[in-house]
Amino acid sequence: MLGWALTFLVIALIAGIFGFGGIASASAGIAQILFFVFLVLFIVAMVARAVRGRPPT
């Protein structure tokens, strides 16, 4: 998931450099959404692991 967010971020940066504003805006929006989804899933996984009693590796 984080890899996809980084991919769309790179696409947005490249499109922004070449002047494709619409594509850059759309890619940046997708990257932002994917990053926040990744962040929420990561926090949920850490809380679930802590509740089960296993220490992080």
Side-chain angles (χ1 to χ4, degrees), residues 24-25 34 37 42 51:
S25 175
L34 288 175
V37 168
F42 178 73
V51 168

Side-chain angles (χ1 to χ4, degrees), residues 1-27:
M1 179 89 53
L2 188 58
W4 281 105
L6 292 174
T7 301
F8 278 106
L9 178 64
V10 168
I11 291 171
L13 291 173
I14 292 171
I17 289 171
F18 289 119
F20 299 111
I23 296 172
S25 175
S27 295

Side-chain angles (χ1 to χ4, degrees), residues 22-57:
I23 296 172
S25 175
S27 295
I30 292 170
Q32 186 177 12
I33 290 169
L34 288 175
F35 176 75
F36 284 119
V37 168
F38 167 78
L39 197 61
V40 167
L41 290 175
F42 178 73
I43 291 170
V44 168
M46 290 295 110
V47 169
R49 192 171 182 99
V51 168
R52 280 193 256 151
R54 285 200 229 159
T57 57

